[in-house]
Amino acid sequence: MKPKFLLGGALVLMAVAVIIAQGLAAGAQYFFTISQLREKAAEFQDQSVRISGAVIGDSIAYDAASGRLEFDIVDAVEMNGRFEPIAGQTPLRIVYDDPRPELLQDQAQAIVTGKLSADGTFHADELLLKCPTRYEEEFPNQAQGN
Amino acid sequence: MIVDIGLIALVLAFASALYGVSAAIYGGQNHRPDWIASARRAALTITPLLTIACLTIIISNLGNNFNLEYTYRVNSRGMPTVLKFTSLWGGQNGSVLFFGWLMSLYIFFLFVREWRGNRALQPWVLAVSLGAQLFFLVLTMFFANPFARLWLDANGSPLAAVFQPSGTIPYMPPDGLGLNPLLRHPGMIIHPPMLYLGFVGLTIPYAFAMAALLGGSTASDAAWIKATRRWTLIAWAFLSMGLLLGGRWAYDVLGWGGYWGWDPVENSALLPWLTATAFLHSVMIQEKRGMFKIWNMILIVLTFCLMILGTFVTRTGVISSVHSFARSSLGVPFLLFTALILLGSAALVVLRWNYLKSENRLESPWSRESAFVLNNFLFLTITFTVFLGTYYTMFSELIVGQKLTIGPAVFNQLIGPQVTALVLLMGIGPLLAWRKSSPQALGRMTQKAGLIAVFVVAVLFLSGIRAFGALAGFGVVTYAGLITLEEIYHGVRARMKLSDESLFVALSRLIARNRRRYGGYVIHLGVIFMGLGVIGTTMFQQETEQPLRVGESITLGDYTITYQGSELYVPENEPDKTVFVGHVLVSVAGGPPEAMTPYREVFQQGGGLLPPALRSTLTEDLYILFTGEESGFGTLKVYINPLVNWLWIGSIVLIVGTLLAMWPSGAGAAVAVRAPGQIIVGEAGK
């Protein structure tokens, strides 16, 4: 009786675990770098994916009347806890129908969920930003100036 | 200097913990009460020493001593005094010290009184809890030392070190960086300590469980399980409060209309809460029927590991998250410690397998025991879902070489049905008798509640709600809520009949006589209320956003919101922040306009807060955000959050219920005295 019961329980548990894992896999989104996204552009056009990159400060444009925000990001590598943009890469234009978030600034790390359109811009549904603020940064910039 | 005193205190605390662990192990192995007593005294010195260490950091913060690296990072001259206190836990290094201090408080209160429980357990509880304490002191000293100071080298560039490196001079920057703006909210002042108290509190049940295995005596069975349950409940109460306060803080400050985003850091605090909740339920089977001992042991170990993992995720930013403010060097020691706990605990459970044998068997699928098995099963599947979803990016990169992430919608979709099933079980579980019950009896007891729930669902359906999840959710919440209320009512009515008491007297005596049971019911009612809020916000939230010229309006639901213009000012006591205030007029269903003022705070150092203006009722919250004015357009973002207040009301009910269940009282002492008797009963029953 007891081994049978244990075996049954284990089987049910495994079945549920498989269902959960499948549910997660079905809903999972690809998380790409910009160059990875471009390599697979044909395959993933108009499919919701997540990308990350460093914001280029000079490119940020916000049109208050339409509430449309646009900015460029490029791939970045992490060095000494900071995100350094890769030189020479063609930036990816992000289009976002939301006001400009406070943390959107040069070299902020942007994690963007959305779709790549045929014109090569990326239409964002969700924008997460991690900012290169001075809080807890690798070493005091301000102090070096003094 | 005062900071040196703090550093010395930290080193002494480390030495005490190291000595305490060694003395406790030696004393336990060789049955030497004098060594055990000495270990206990060492344990008691840690709290005062760490208190001194924390105080010196606070003094340094208050005195704007920017020579201390930590003060430089989390303080600035413009910050209000109260924040200079709370910035003790506002940055990484300080929070690790603070974490260790809280842990020492638990250990202090556990050992300050004469040891009343089983003698054989004491040295091992000492050794395990001091071992965990030692780990956090090692982290504080060698990986995240808050006592590091700033120095200038020969080139004039600054560096941080605890001791003066050769060829450098002490360096005192004119001002500090200031506390991260997100942490300057009152909610952030109490949320982290509550969560930490919950986290560190889980050390004590783990220490008791390991002590029971290390001490290796069956006689200590009842003693360790009672102590473990009590301490788990305390930690659980703090953990619940920490999670709930965190949700409320997000709702009040982050400006996205919600309170829970399935962020990795939120999830990693939820994980130990889930397994601890499972344990608090299944421990009852062990107490009443002597079953599930191995399972309970596994739950305790799992809870402790998930706590350490949670601390690790929070403190190291290993997974990208809004909470991970820093990347740090804490990763390797944390992973080693987690591996050590997992392997060590697993080895102990296997070695002591015989002590953990079940005294009884499951007799009927319609019994309280089965309800608890199903409860644990659901808690475990939910834990598994959250765990896999949280670490999906990591696993997918390891296994298929491609990063994949899980969004909040997927979590809601997968966890919603599991939680609904759990709430249903929460309603009917307590009605089932131990050993054996029947579906017929259950049907009789829940007839009325079932009929009313069906009626509620029918009314909702006719009023136009078609979403299956919402109908099922409201139905189950109604059903389980009514059953719970009926249970309390039956108890009250019986008392009123028997002893001629008034309703209020009967209710309070009923609860006082059986705090654990009725405290549990009150917690369940809290969950029911919270369920209403969760269904309302996840299924029926409305949202709109628009740039508006002065005088223009937007409409959402019954509300018309008219933009009236904006202004900005710099608060006198916080000169490093600018506040942008939006003025709006809100009229409800064409009624008279009310003025509301959402605002946005922007900090000189970068970053800011986006607190909403709230119009809060029991049916819904109107949640208005003002994101700023640019070229004549003010942008408003408006949410309607149906039933969200029930989430907060439910939270308070849940905490009240927890206090009822755990408040120390005369009755609690009586239970402890009766404990040996229960063992005899248990053994006679074999």
Side-chain angles (χ1 to χ4, degrees):
Chain A
M1 170 68 195
K2 215 185 170 194
K4 224 192 317 185
F5 186 75
L6 274 177
L7 192 69
L11 281 177
V12 173
L13 199 67
M14 265 157 59
V16 172
V18 169
I19 291 170
I20 292 169
Q22 277 180 342
L24 286 169
Q29 274 175 325
Y30 279 89
F31 194 167
F32 288 131
T33 60
I34 295 163
S35 49
Q36 281 174 332
L37 177 68
R38 285 198 173 126
E39 267 169 38
K40 297 174 184 167
E43 197 183 332
F44 285 95
Q45 200 156 75
D46 290 322
Q47 190 178 326
S48 183
V49 295
R50 192 174 251 214
I51 52 168
S52 78
V55 175
I56 299 172
D58 293 337
S59 70
I60 302 170
Y62 177 61
D63 179 24
S66 63
R68 186 182 169 108
L69 176 72
E70 297 191 17
F71 59 93
D72 290 343
I73 60 172
V74 289
D75 278 333
V77 283
E78 199 185 345
M79 286 196 302
N80 305 323
R82 296 182 66 100
F83 272 85
E84 302 288 346
I86 290 174
Q89 191 189 31
T90 316
L92 178 68
R93 190 79 172 159
I94 307 287
V95 181
Y96 187 49
D97 285 321
D98 239 21
R100 180 183 171 151
E102 193 52 45
L103 294 175
L104 185 68
Q105 46 187 269
D106 195 37
Q107 296 209 354
Q109 187 203 355
I111 299 172
V112 197
T113 310
K115 291 171 185 165
L116 185 69
S117 338
D119 64 0
T121 59
F122 191 85
H123 287 258
D125 304 317
E126 190 198 304
L127 173 62
L128 290 175
L129 290 159
K130 274 210 300 189
C131 144
T133 47
R134 298 167 7 213
Y135 311 110
E136 307 255 352
E137 75 185 17
E138 194 46 37
F139 225 81
N141 257 337
Q142 185 195 35
Q144 275 166 354
N146 288 301
Chain B
M1 215 172 113
I2 189 104
V3 170
D4 295 321
I5 298 174
L7 183 60
I8 292 167
L10 176 65
V11 173
L12 289 176
F14 170 79
S16 275
L18 189 60
Y19 169 77
V21 173
S22 322
I25 293 174
Y26 181 80
Q29 259 178 348
N30 301 298
H31 304 283
R32 292 280 300 271
D34 50 337
W35 280 90
I36 299 167
S38 171
R40 170 175 169 257
R41 282 192 296 273
L44 293 180
T45 61
I46 296 173
T47 302
L49 287 168
L50 289 183
T51 307
I52 294 171
C54 289
L55 278 177
T56 58
I57 299 279
I58 291 175
I59 291 170
S60 168
N61 288 349
L62 287 173
N64 293 326
N65 170 26
F66 301 120
N67 175 238
L68 192 73
E69 186 202 6
Y70 187 71
T71 301
Y72 168 77
R73 286 189 187 281
V74 298
N75 274 268
S76 62
R77 293 186 188 275
M79 249 165 55
T81 310
V82 61
L83 291 179
K84 293 188 176 181
F85 271 102
T86 62
S87 57
L88 170 64
W89 57 85
Q92 164 127 297
N93 295 8
S95 69
V96 176
L97 173 65
F98 183 64
F99 203 87
W101 178 70
L102 291 177
M103 189 178 277
S104 79
L105 279 182
Y106 271 102
I107 295 172
F108 186 85
F109 284 115
L110 177 60
F111 290 105
V112 71
R113 286 186 302 186
E114 269 312 302
W115 190 260
R116 288 180 308 180
N118 189 307
R119 281 268 149 211
L121 288 178
Q122 192 190 10
W124 305 110
V125 176
L126 265 168
V128 176
S129 57
L130 287 179
Q133 175 87 66
L134 190 64
F135 170 70
F136 278 95
L137 289 173
V138 167
L139 283 188
T140 316
M141 292 219 318
F142 301 109
F143 295 92
N145 198 318
F147 293 102
R149 283 189 246 167
L150 295 176
W151 313 92
L152 280 183
D153 65 14
N155 305 322
S157 50
L159 59 131
V162 177
F163 299 107
Q164 182 164 16
S166 65
T168 63
I169 50 165
Y171 173 54
M172 174 94 159
D175 200 354
L177 301 177
L179 191 62
N180 188 317
L182 287 176
L183 306 181
R184 298 192 187 189
H185 181 270
M188 260 300 137
I189 294 173
I190 32 179
H191 158 69
M194 287 296 155
L195 205 60
Y196 290 178
L197 275 169
F199 270 23
V200 293
L202 294 171
T203 309
I204 307 296
Y206 176 74
F208 270 100
M210 288 303 107
L213 293 181
L214 286 163
S217 121
T218 35
S220 62
D221 188 25
W224 84 260
I225 202 78
K226 281 224 152 29
T228 305
R229 193 196 81 90
R230 197 165 53 237
W231 287 96
T232 307
L233 196 57
I234 294 171
W236 187 87
F238 283 121
L239 199 51
S240 305
M241 273 192 268
L243 286 166
L244 295 168
L245 283 167
R248 181 71 214 200
W249 167 81
Y251 191 71
D252 280 344
V253 163
L254 294 184
W256 55 278
Y259 47 84
W260 187 268
W262 297 110
D263 176 273
V265 169
E266 292 166 5
N267 293 350
S268 46
L270 180 67
L271 286 167
W273 184 90
L274 287 169
T275 48
T277 314
F279 170 76
L280 284 172
H281 288 94
S282 72
V283 70
M284 288 182 235
I285 318 182
Q286 181 163 352
E287 282 178 287
K288 297 264 198 238
R289 309 266 294 133
M291 297 156 70
F292 287 82
K293 293 178 183 176
I294 292 169
W295 176 240
N296 282 329
M297 197 56 91
I298 291 173
L299 280 179
I300 294 170
V301 173
L302 210 55
T303 304
F304 188 66
C305 284
L306 287 171
M307 181 280 269
I308 296 290
L309 198 65
T311 318
F312 164 58
V313 169
T314 323
R315 297 278 39 127
T316 57
V318 66
I319 296 177
S320 59
S321 140
V322 290
H323 288 71
S324 49
F325 298 111
R327 298 182 164 257
S328 75
S329 50
L330 299 180
V332 174
F334 260 110
L335 283 183
L336 285 177
F337 190 55
T338 313
L340 179 76
I341 295 163
L342 260 182
L343 292 176
S345 312
L348 266 176
V349 171
V350 172
L351 275 174
R352 304 290 193 208
W353 196 264
N354 282 338
Y355 296 136
L356 297 171
K357 270 207 181 130
S358 191
E359 293 160 33
N360 283 294
R361 281 186 177 190
L362 214 53
E363 289 172 32
S364 153
W366 293 94
S367 63
R368 184 77 65 87
E369 292 93 318
S370 313
F372 279 129
V373 172
L374 206 52
N375 154 303
N376 269 237
F377 180 79
L378 284 166
F379 269 111
L380 214 67
T381 58
I382 295 171
T383 308
F384 177 73
T385 314
V386 177
F387 182 82
L388 198 59
T390 308
Y391 297 96
Y392 206 82
T393 315
M394 218 162 73
F395 292 136
S396 66
E397 198 174 18
L398 279 177
I399 296 166
V400 296
Q402 173 61 56
K403 277 188 180 177
L404 288 159
T405 62
I406 303 295
V410 180
F411 276 105
N412 284 339
Q413 200 187 342
L414 285 174
I415 289 176
Q418 298 182 58
V419 173
T420 311
L422 195 58
V423 171
L424 180 67
L425 191 65
M426 183 184 89
I428 57 181
L431 297 184
L432 294 168
W434 291 104
R435 287 166 184 269
K436 219 167 181 161
S437 189
S438 76
Q440 289 81 10
L442 188 67
R444 271 198 306 280
M445 283 187 279
T446 64
Q447 248 167 17
K448 273 182 254 166
L451 281 174
I452 297 175
V454 169
F455 177 73
V456 167
V457 172
V459 168
L460 289 173
F461 186 81
L462 291 176
S463 71
I465 292 173
R466 291 290 183 277
F468 176 75
L471 292 173
F474 280 125
V476 164
V477 164
T478 312
Y479 180 64
L482 287 173
I483 296 174
T484 311
L485 282 174
E486 218 179 329
E487 269 291 284
I488 300 175
Y489 173 72
H490 282 317
V492 172
R493 202 181 50 181
R495 277 200 79 91
M496 284 167 74
K497 269 193 184 152
L498 270 175
S499 46
D500 211 19
E501 291 166 344
S502 73
L503 178 77
F504 181 74
V505 174
L507 179 65
S508 52
R509 287 206 182 141
L510 181 74
I511 294 174
R513 289 293 143 78
N514 199 342
R515 282 159 182 272
R516 222 173 123 172
R517 176 166 180 183
Y518 287 95
Y521 284 157
V522 174
I523 295 174
H524 285 182
L525 280 180
V527 173
I528 295 287
F529 290 147
M530 290 169 71
L532 290 175
V534 171
I535 300 169
T537 48
T538 46
M539 314 280 298
F540 300 102
Q541 189 184 52
Q542 298 180 58
E543 175 194 348
T544 184
E545 174 183 347
Q546 238 166 283
L548 297 171
R549 287 186 192 280
V550 173
E552 287 182 338
S553 316
I554 40 174
T555 308
L556 184 67
D558 282 343
Y559 304 94
T560 307
I561 299 131
T562 312
Y563 182 54
Q564 298 283 304
S566 69
E567 59 178 331
L568 65 95
Y569 68 94
V570 176
E572 236 167 70
N573 59 347
E574 277 177 279
D576 60 348
K577 127 178 149 183
T578 311
V579 184
F580 297 88
V581 185
H583 293 282
V584 299
L585 286 179
V586 177
S587 107
V588 188
E594 302 164 32
M596 286 174 73
T597 49
Y599 62 97
R600 169 180 206 163
E601 293 182 348
V602 177
F603 290 82
Q604 248 171 41
Q605 301 96 317
L609 303 182
L610 194 56
L614 282 178
R615 188 183 180 281
S616 202
T617 65
L618 283 183
T619 40
E620 64 191 20
D621 271 15
L622 175 69
Y623 184 105
I624 305 177
L625 299 168
F626 173 66
T627 52
E629 186 173 304
E630 214 166 311
S631 34
F633 288 93
T635 303
L636 294 180
K637 197 164 189 173
V638 185
Y639 295 86
I640 294 176
N641 291 324
L643 299 175
V644 68
N645 258 320
W646 290 97
L647 180 67
W648 315 123
I649 293 170
S651 311
I652 295 166
V653 173
L654 181 136
I655 298 302
V656 169
T658 313
L659 291 177
L660 282 176
M662 72 180 208
W663 205 255
S665 67
V671 169
V673 175
R674 272 207 311 274
Q678 284 192 340
I679 301 169
I680 295 164
V681 173
E683 282 175 350
K686 258 196 281 191

